[in-house]
Amino acid sequence: MIRVNVAAARADLARYLARVERGETVTLCRRNVPIAEIRPLPSTPVRERPIGIDRGMKVPESFFEPLPDDLLRAFGGVGDEP
């Protein structure tokens, strides 16, 4: 871990960011009191995640039918007034 005052970090930010990219943590200090850390982000997954979890899933036709009036009223939608 590297400790550096804010003024020094501002003057040579590229150098400190290069060290962060290599996996080091930089602690920023104001008057030698730690105030923040700059650390590398977690690496991205090696393989992409699949979209959806159930390939071949079928949506039933009833999914597209209008909702019943009582359910619409429960969610504040339009429906037959009681």
Side-chain angles (χ1 to χ4, degrees):
M1 180 167 54
I2 308 160
R3 291 178 64 140
V4 62
N5 281 312
V6 174
R10 187 180 301 141
D12 206 359
L13 183 61
R15 187 177 101 202
Y16 293 110
L17 289 178
R19 292 181 76 164
V20 169
E21 287 178 327
R22 290 192 302 264
E24 294 184 59
T25 299
V26 175
T27 302
L28 295 176
C29 301
R30 180 172 288 134
R31 297 182 189 151
N32 295 322
V33 176
I35 60 170
E37 282 186 351
I38 303 174
R39 62 182 111 180
L41 293 173
S43 62
T44 56
V46 175
R47 65 176 242 249
E48 291 185 22
R49 293 177 40 182
I51 298 174
I53 52 177
D54 188 11
R55 297 197 184 257
M57 182 177 119
K58 304 286 187 226
V59 177
E61 288 297 318
S62 62
F63 178 81
F64 299 101
E65 294 175 4
L67 293 173
D69 288 338
D70 60 332
L71 192 56
L72 284 173
R73 278 192 304 275
F75 286 98
V78 180
D80 292 338
E81 296 299 320

